[in-house]
Amino acid sequence: MMVQRHEPDRRHFLGVCLDPLTIDETVARCVKAVEERSPMTIGVLNAAKIVRLRKDPRLSRAVLGCDLVLADGQSVVWAARLLRRPLPERVAGIDLMLALLPEAERRGDRVYFLGAKQDVLDRTVAEVLRRFPRLEVAGSRDGYFSADEAAAVADEVRETRADLLFIGVSSPMKELFVEQWSARTGAQVVHGVGGTFDVLAGEVRRAPEWWQRHGLEWLYRVIQEPLRLGPRYFTTNFAFVVLVAREVMRSRVRPGGGSGGDRR
């Protein structure tokens, strides 16, 4: 069973909820959170994660319990439109981070980077400072720590007085860390950005804009790592298509033909 926050302006479908925000609106919400010292956690959903949430109650609770839940995948935006729960645009985790950094630089907010291998993390911070030389980097730490060490890691972040915390580790570790320890970090905005550090460090190439617009960023990644990512993406993407098709069929037999969404 999925656990989620039921806010009236959220879009509910396929058993999940998402906030209908543009990237600019999301940045404005984050800036306000820092200004008002009102902590905010951010969760993101793509097709693969929506499928995974249906089988992982812990991950579902962690993602859907965030203050903001955003559509990280273009296919999610398309599905929302098809199910008459429209979202204004995709807000990818990497794009949101790269939109927040210049704001942080301008405002003097302190930023902490948590995740990846140490050499990748070092290159990430160097690249961020190359792009935003006046950014106040509160600190950084690699993402190789156990569940037993998580509390100490949160305390390390808190000691730096970071305003924004970006977590570049894989699922479900990043979502569970956000759920359990975000308040302890003292950061006002906590955002799990997954593989963003690998992209900024040059370890992985991000798909060109055309691939992103056409919902093919996943395929671009598969081409780069076919053996590791191929089976996973093809399996989850097929499952997502089946979920959407079933919900479309259900909507056609409901009174009025509307799509109330799967609220399990």
Side-chain angles (χ1 to χ4, degrees), residues 164-181:
L164 296 94
L165 168 61
F166 296 107
I167 305 175
V169 300
S170 59
S171 295
M173 182 178 175
K174 70 174 181 289
E175 289 87 358
L176 296 178
F177 184 90
V178 170
E179 179 190 36
Q180 296 171 9
W181 304 110

Side-chain angles (χ1 to χ4, degrees), residues 44-231:
V44 296
L45 288 172
N46 56 22
K49 195 175 292 184
I50 286 177
V51 171
R52 187 172 181 181
L53 259 55
R54 300 175 80 86
K55 299 179 180 179
D56 190 335
R58 288 193 316 155
L59 180 60
S60 177
R61 183 176 60 251
V63 175
L64 300 179
C66 286
D67 298 300
L68 290 183
V69 183
L70 307 169
D72 184 61
Q74 187 60 43
S75 58
V76 177
V77 175
W78 290 338
R81 189 178 307 155
L82 187 63
L83 296 171
R84 302 179 186 177
R85 294 289 182 268
L87 299 166
E89 66 181 13
R90 175 193 185 200
V91 184
I94 184 173
D95 294 331
L96 177 57
M97 174 176 157
L98 291 176
L100 287 170
L101 289 176
E103 280 297 309
E105 180 186 44
R106 181 181 66 82
R107 291 168 37 81
D109 296 333
R110 297 170 59 79
V111 180
Y112 194 102
F113 300 92
L114 173 63
K117 296 182 294 185
Q118 189 62 53
D119 64 320
V120 172
L121 179 62
D122 291 342
R123 279 182 278 147
T124 297
V125 174
E127 174 62 16
V128 165
L129 288 175
R130 184 188 69 80
R131 299 188 190 191
F132 312 105
R134 294 183 301 279
L135 181 71
E136 287 195 42
V137 176
S140 63
R141 190 200 191 283
D142 69 74
Y144 289 81
F145 56 90
S146 67
D148 292 338
E149 298 172 305
V153 171
D155 290 338
E156 288 178 27
V157 177
R158 189 179 193 91
E159 289 172 3
T160 69
R161 297 178 291 106
D163 298 298
L164 296 94
L165 168 61
F166 296 107
I167 305 175
V169 300
S170 59
S171 295
M173 182 178 175
K174 70 174 181 289
E175 289 87 358
L176 296 178
F177 184 90
V178 170
E179 179 190 36
Q180 296 171 9
W181 304 110
S182 60
R184 187 160 174 163
T185 67
Q188 303 307 303
V189 174
V190 181
H191 178 22
V193 296
T196 295
F197 293 2
D198 288 332
V199 174
L200 291 175
E203 286 284 297
V204 175
R205 295 192 307 276
R206 192 182 183 194
E209 188 176 341
W210 185 91
W211 292 68
Q212 296 178 43
R213 286 201 314 270
H214 290 81
L216 294 173
E217 192 163 10
W218 66 272
L219 182 58
Y220 191 86
R221 291 192 62 196
V222 167
I223 291 171
Q224 293 185 69
E225 299 181 82
L227 295 179
R228 186 175 75 87
L229 298 179

